[in-house]
Amino acid sequence: MDFLQLILTLDSTVRLSVVLLFACLAGLFSEKSGVVDIGLEGKMLISAFVAAAVAYETGSAWIGVLAGCAASLIFAMIHGVASIIYRGDQIISGVALNFLASGLTIVLGHAIYKKGGQTPTLTGNARFTEITLPFADAVRDVPVLGPIYSELISGQTALVYLAFAVVPAVWFLLYRTRFGLRLRAVGENPSSVDTAGISVVGMRFKALFFTGILCGIAGAYLSTAQAAFFGREMSAGRGYIALAALIFANWRPLQAMGASLLFGLLEAISNLYPKIDVFGVVTIPVQFTQALPYILTVVILAGFIGKASPPRSVGVPYVKEN
Amino acid sequence: MDKMPRWADVALIPLINILLAFILAGLVVLAIGQNPFDMVYFMIKGALGSTRGIGYTLYYTTNFIFTGLAFSVAMHAKLFNIGGEGQAAVGGIGTALVLLAVPWPHWTLALPFAVIGAAVFGAGWAAIPAYLQAKRGSHIVITTIMFNFIAGALSIYLLNGVLKKPDQQAAETRQFGDGAHLPTFNEMLSPFGIEFSKSAPVNFSFVLAIAAAVLVWLLIWRTRLGYDIRAFGNSESATAYAGISSVRVTIIAMLISGGLSGLLAINVVMGEAERLILNFVEGAGFMGIAVALMGRNHPFGIVLAAFLFGMLNQGGFELLWEMPGISREMVLVIQALIIIFTGALVNMTRDPLERFFIRMNKRAG
């Protein structure tokens, strides 16, 4: 593999990992506060649809993102009402919301655009275009650093830069603010937080607010930046890969970035190099590369390498003592 | 008495919740400018209006009985087996291997071995998550989700490789022999002079599904193992004191659950397609969660819920012809809303009803 090929692979990696990163951070907020969210997939899907439809109607990709976030937020709040207020089963709520998104996006898309659930193609300002950073063209011929700057760092869409800016922001919010401390405490030991006079219900809803927004951006990225339309089942299991990345990252924001990049790299490899020859002896099939994120996550969960340590009260509805 | 009567718990609450789900679904239909009552009429007509419709409805019902029972057995042990999708897919591989390996002379000989193939492969796919949950404490929800995706990749790999029929494009095996053909309802009922649609895929597997429901009922409520499973599901610590091995219960419950999911392949792979194709599970594994939930983890309830979901599925396909403005994914919306109201939001209707009944009781007493 020559250098330019490497740069192109990494470029593809970045583009593919952004959606995982947003979704993974979304899951981080929810699970840190003690609410399991396997509905990341559904929130991304509904947002991808709403973002594409609104961007098409208004001609503005940013308004599309906002609308996508609003849709995702509504789903997050339904999950909140079910699992926080009514102490419903969080897994069941997540599964149901994923189904709801699968169905609604196609029913609405079919009714509005009559194209079997697909939205019309976005053009001009209705989609995110690549931003060329200053001097990208000038330094292109500089060896090594030139291509890295002009191909990899420059020429990405606004949401890509936003994703990598959000990572330190999330870290700061969770580990350096009072809000973050309370949020983490509510996922570890809700009764102690309650004793301190802080509302467990309120904290968990606030966490789900961030989950909704971040999942919304993830979904909008799929339909307005990575592609320029919404297609049925567009999220294609990425919500579950994000969940895997969250476990892989052991529920920490900076590691979430690493895990998202790793899983993005695997997706890029499976797209670009379907068959990999290892010294002409064995051929690694593309399905293996595609399944690798899931296999790695199971290995991590099994505790043979590293140790998964989820928030202690994750998945347990909080019932106030009388 | 500070409880609500049993009939309210078992019948009234599910009915109210399904009604709520249908009202909300009706609003969605109104929002896209269609008539919800027309939709219900055409769906019921499509599902039950002809022997062909009934045949398709029962065919889907068979799938949902298997996956619903599968989910419920694990749930009795408080194990959330979300991996029915993958276990059924791998069960299909087992079924296909059995049916391709031997030129079966007659289906009565082929069926027992195909059932073993389906169940063993399905159970095998549940075994690793079960072992990891029992021995290493790995959360079974996450591991079974991961195993669904790994099963998908494995199926694609095998059907594009060793299992693929040579000289063709499609990723599928060759047809099983004539001796592996399961009788359809048409063939089963015509000796009795009953005309049943030839094109409907419902087959002998339906009988198998009903038998499985009876066996699961016997297992859970009439055997020692069933008692252990239910006891473990109610209180893990109590069963530990009673000397019941948590590792044993976890693994056995998951093996039975995976085996039942695998049996879906008997209906779809052996009974309908008569060859192994990609993505034949089509979400039935996930739907089993909803079916078990609505059927309150009881085999009788599961059969009823499976029939309702089978009707919805078949009715949705017919909708395509009668009301082209509504996409068949409307069924998915209805099913999702049913899961939300009967599963996730069940306390929303239960809490006020319980208060109501307690107040009524106090007044009466």
Side-chain angles (χ1 to χ4, degrees):
Chain A
M1 188 190 286
D2 63 29
F3 183 66
L4 197 67
Q5 231 180 335
L6 178 72
I7 293 289
L8 288 178
T9 310
L10 293 179
D11 181 49
S12 176
T13 299
V14 169
R15 285 158 199 259
L16 291 168
S17 59
V18 163
V19 57
L20 299 180
L21 182 51
F22 277 122
C24 188
L25 293 173
L28 180 74
F29 272 102
S30 151
E31 301 223 336
K32 275 282 177 198
S33 81
V35 180
V36 170
D37 196 353
I38 65 168
L40 298 175
E41 178 82 5
K43 286 196 273 290
M44 272 164 63
L45 193 64
I46 194 81
S47 162
F49 170 73
V50 171
V54 171
Y56 174 75
E57 300 295 343
T58 61
S60 160
W62 283 108
I63 296 179
V65 172
L66 284 181
C69 286
S72 164
L73 198 56
I74 291 172
F75 269 52
M77 289 303 121
I78 298 174
H79 188 56
V81 169
S83 53
I84 304 170
I85 294 183
Y86 288 110
R87 309 171 308 281
D89 191 297
Q90 299 172 10
I91 308 285
I92 287 170
S93 169
V95 169
L97 288 169
N98 287 344
F99 276 134
L100 189 63
S102 287
L104 264 188
T105 49
I106 300 173
V107 167
L108 297 178
H110 176 79
I112 302 170
Y113 298 111
K114 314 257 183 292
K115 288 171 74 179
Q118 196 166 318
T119 63
T121 306
L122 305 173
T123 51
N125 285 332
R127 62 171 302 191
F128 285 96
T129 45
E130 291 161 0
I131 298 171
T132 309
L133 295 182
F135 313 116
D137 285 322
V139 299
R140 191 176 297 274
D141 296 326
V142 176
V144 185
L145 290 178
I148 290 181
Y149 182 76
S150 58
E151 296 289 336
L152 191 59
I153 297 175
S154 170
Q156 304 287 2
T157 55
L159 293 180
V160 174
Y161 300 113
L162 179 66
F164 290 96
V166 161
V167 175
V170 167
W171 174 83
F172 185 83
L173 186 64
L174 282 179
Y175 292 94
R176 287 294 180 274
T177 65
R178 194 164 68 170
F179 171 77
L181 179 69
R182 287 173 173 180
L183 191 140
R184 285 181 291 128
V186 115
E188 293 288 337
N189 194 340
S191 56
S192 71
V193 177
D194 200 6
T195 315
I198 300 156
S199 160
V200 174
V201 170
M203 281 312 295
R204 287 188 169 168
F205 266 107
K206 282 175 196 160
L208 285 187
F209 171 82
F210 286 102
T211 303
I213 297 293
L214 288 167
C215 254
I217 304 176
Y221 175 82
L222 277 176
S223 61
T224 61
Q226 193 168 314
F229 62 88
F230 171 84
R232 54 161 64 202
E233 297 298 328
M234 185 170 216
S235 45
R238 289 192 180 83
Y240 294 108
I241 298 202
L243 208 61
L246 182 61
I247 295 162
F248 208 77
N250 216 352
W251 292 267
R252 285 169 300 181
L254 298 181
Q255 285 82 346
M257 182 172 73
S260 301
L261 282 168
L262 173 68
F263 291 176
L265 173 68
L266 289 172
E267 198 184 339
I269 290 175
S270 68
N271 288 346
L272 295 170
Y273 315 103
K275 282 203 167 79
I276 303 165
D277 270 311
V278 184
F279 309 117
V281 187
V282 226
T283 310
I284 300 174
V286 63
Q287 290 84 13
F288 181 76
T289 326
Q290 283 165 344
L292 205 52
Y294 308 112
I295 297 172
L296 287 174
T297 305
V298 172
V299 171
I300 291 283
L301 277 171
F304 295 118
I305 306 170
K307 177 104 187 74
S309 42
R312 213 166 308 149
S313 298
V314 75
V316 189
Y318 181 66
V319 183
K320 212 178 166 88
E321 284 171 50
N322 288 316
Chain B
M1 192 171 99
D2 54 353
K3 257 185 10 189
M4 80 183 129
R6 204 174 134 72
W7 62 267
D9 200 25
V10 177
L12 185 62
I13 290 177
L15 277 179
I16 294 176
N17 286 330
I18 292 174
L19 202 66
L20 285 172
F22 271 98
I23 290 172
L24 221 61
L27 292 177
V28 173
V29 176
L30 274 180
I32 60 173
Q34 304 281 343
N35 185 337
F37 295 103
D38 283 355
M39 183 185 81
V40 172
Y41 169 74
F42 284 123
M43 282 180 77
I44 292 177
K45 186 172 156 239
L48 302 176
S50 62
T51 59
R52 186 182 160 276
I54 296 172
Y56 269 98
T57 297
L58 291 179
Y59 168 72
Y60 296 122
T61 305
T62 309
N63 285 345
F64 297 145
I65 293 177
F66 282 130
T67 54
L69 289 173
F71 184 80
S72 76
V73 170
M75 206 58 200
H76 278 297
K78 274 273 168 14
L79 295 163
F80 207 111
N81 177 15
I82 203 167
E85 202 74 11
Q87 288 143 20
V90 175
I93 297 173
T95 311
L97 288 179
V98 168
L99 295 177
L100 289 170
V102 180
W104 295 99
H106 195 260
W107 68 271
T108 45
L109 274 172
L111 184 62
F113 289 95
V115 164
I116 292 170
V120 167
F121 271 61
W125 205 247
I128 303 170
Y131 171 83
L132 292 176
Q133 167 78 52
K135 283 283 196 186
R136 321 263 329 166
S138 322
H139 206 307
I140 203 143
V141 172
I142 307 289
T143 49
T144 48
I145 291 178
M146 300 298 131
F147 266 70
N148 284 341
F149 285 102
I150 301 171
L154 181 71
S155 302
I156 297 174
Y157 174 67
L158 290 176
L159 280 172
N160 281 303
V162 286
L163 286 181
K164 185 175 162 177
K165 182 184 173 190
D167 320 319
Q168 62 156 21
Q169 281 295 312
E172 54 189 46
T173 65
R174 65 177 164 82
Q175 290 277 331
F176 306 142
D178 288 341
H181 169 77
L182 283 181
T184 61
F185 267 31
N186 173 276
E187 291 154 5
M188 285 159 67
L189 294 175
S190 60
F192 303 101
I194 303 170
E195 284 282 333
F196 201 89
S197 163
K198 246 192 158 105
S199 60
V202 63
N203 57 69
F204 186 78
S205 309
F206 179 75
V207 180
L208 205 66
I210 299 294
V214 175
L215 286 177
V216 166
W217 179 80
L218 282 173
L219 168 80
I220 297 292
W221 279 281
R222 288 293 179 273
T223 68
R224 188 183 170 135
L225 176 64
Y227 178 81
D228 288 356
I229 289 176
R230 282 182 295 133
F232 179 76
N234 274 319
S235 167
E236 210 179 317
S237 52
T239 43
Y241 288 121
I244 297 170
S245 155
S246 68
V247 174
R248 181 175 153 268
V249 172
T250 301
I251 291 182
I252 291 180
M254 277 300 286
L255 289 180
I256 296 172
S257 175
L260 283 165
S261 295
L263 290 183
L264 175 140
I266 297 295
N267 187 38
V268 182
V269 176
M270 185 181 185
E272 205 263 334
E274 305 198 337
R275 64 190 193 283
L276 183 61
I277 52 176
L278 268 185
N279 301 327
F280 70 88
V281 188
E282 288 187 312
F286 280 117
M287 233 17 113
I289 302 171
V291 169
L293 206 68
M294 262 193 70
R296 305 192 47 129
N297 288 327
H298 190 287
F300 184 69
I302 288 170
V303 171
L304 285 184
F307 185 67
L308 174 73
F309 275 62
M311 272 175 62
L312 282 171
N313 239 31
Q314 168 54 16
F317 274 114
E318 295 300 313
L319 213 53
L320 203 66
W321 310 110
E322 306 284 357
M323 298 175 81
I326 305 181
S327 133
R328 73 157 253 100
E329 275 72 14
M330 191 60 218
V331 173
L332 211 55
V333 174
I334 300 174
Q335 287 166 335
L337 289 170
I338 292 179
I339 308 177
I340 291 176
F341 283 107
T342 57
L345 283 174
V346 66
N347 289 332
M348 191 173 74
T349 37
R350 183 192 298 268
D351 289 352
L353 261 177
E354 199 163 41
R355 276 196 295 273
F356 170 78
F357 276 110
I358 291 169
R359 205 159 358 136
M360 292 293 283
N361 275 328
K362 278 201 182 124
R363 202 167 294 168

